[in-house]
Amino acid sequence: MAQPGNGRYTRRQAVSLTLSGFAAIILSRQADAASPQIVAIGADNVAGRGIGRRHPGGVGRSEAFPAQLQAMLRAKGVAATVTNAGRGGETTPGMLEHLNSDVPDGTRLVIIDIAKGNDKHQGVEGDEADALRQIKAGLTERHISFIVLPPWEQIPGATQNRDPDGHHFTAKGHAKIAAYLLPMVLRKLGGHTG
């Protein structure tokens, strides 16, 4: 029998500690399932604003669509975390390069915004389709669902709420993008309600 302070455990104490460890692992996995991880990848209009002087407008990350989508999901009872992995000036090949570091293991869903404008501006437009194909394949191989955003003109209310710089969106524009995504995200999560 173990004596207090001698650093030894009885068999019953060891079994109890082992069972406690298993319970902690199970509870941790249940918490992960109850808190789906979502990552949004792309360029300026994912990040909220761009870089440089050409298009100086936009919003901070707290008003960009990933944050607004997270708030909408939580209002629906889905305790999801939506990580904003957007980068001002990013290209689609750049998104592929950063994919594994931006999308950690355990991610349930990735929202992809193809960086068409930056691809064209930086002369990598010809690599865009192949980079997107590889992004999709990499996510599929990791059993991660994804949504590819359509052109902004196809999202009701988005382009009507551009920043005065003519390129980025206002907080209202980001809200329109988040509202557009909400039902698709809920479907991808399997109707999950947290």
Side-chain angles (χ1 to χ4, degrees):
M1 183 140 191
Q3 298 298 317
N6 73 0
R8 300 174 70 192
Y9 295 102
T10 66
R11 185 178 183 150
R12 180 178 286 168
Q13 289 171 321
V15 169
S16 177
L17 286 171
T18 301
L19 290 175
S20 295
F22 285 135
I25 290 168
I26 290 167
L27 288 173
S28 171
R29 288 187 180 160
Q30 287 174 341
D32 289 345
S35 302
Q37 303 299 308
I38 301 167
V39 178
I41 62 174
D44 307 24
N45 281 315
V46 175
R49 68 178 74 236
I51 55 174
R53 285 177 243 152
R54 235 178 79 202
H55 299 293
V59 297
R61 285 183 181 261
S62 65
E63 292 182 299
F65 79 79
Q68 294 204 47
L69 176 62
Q70 177 176 293
M72 290 177 185
L73 287 164
R74 291 185 177 184
K76 292 273 188 191
V78 180
T81 299
V82 183
T83 300
N84 186 336
R87 289 181 171 87
E90 182 70 285
T91 63
T92 306
M95 290 160 52
L96 173 62
E97 184 180 325
H98 304 125
L99 187 64
N100 289 333
S101 58
D102 286 346
V103 180
D105 289 340
T107 300
R108 292 268 305 276
L109 175 64
V110 173
I111 298 165
I112 305 166
D113 175 31
I114 304 166
K116 283 193 172 297
N118 291 339
D119 290 344
K120 185 174 183 178
H121 182 68
Q122 295 185 37
V124 295
E125 191 173 18
D127 300 328
E128 183 180 283
D130 186 56
L132 179 60
R133 183 191 59 72
Q134 289 185 62
I135 289 168
K136 290 177 176 179
L139 293 173
T140 300
E141 186 176 305
R142 294 172 62 193
H143 308 287
I144 299 172
S145 295
F146 56 84
I147 296 169
V148 179
L149 280 165
W152 300 121
E153 296 74 21
Q154 294 179 25
I155 298 177
T159 56
Q160 292 81 10
N161 290 285
R162 291 253 191 213
D163 186 87
D165 75 1
H167 179 74
H168 298 103
F169 296 107
T170 62
K172 187 175 180 182
H174 280 279
K176 297 289 186 183
I177 297 164
Y180 171 84
L181 283 166
L182 182 62
M184 289 186 280
V185 169
L186 289 170
R187 280 195 299 274
K188 289 283 188 179
L189 296 178
H192 179 80
T193 56

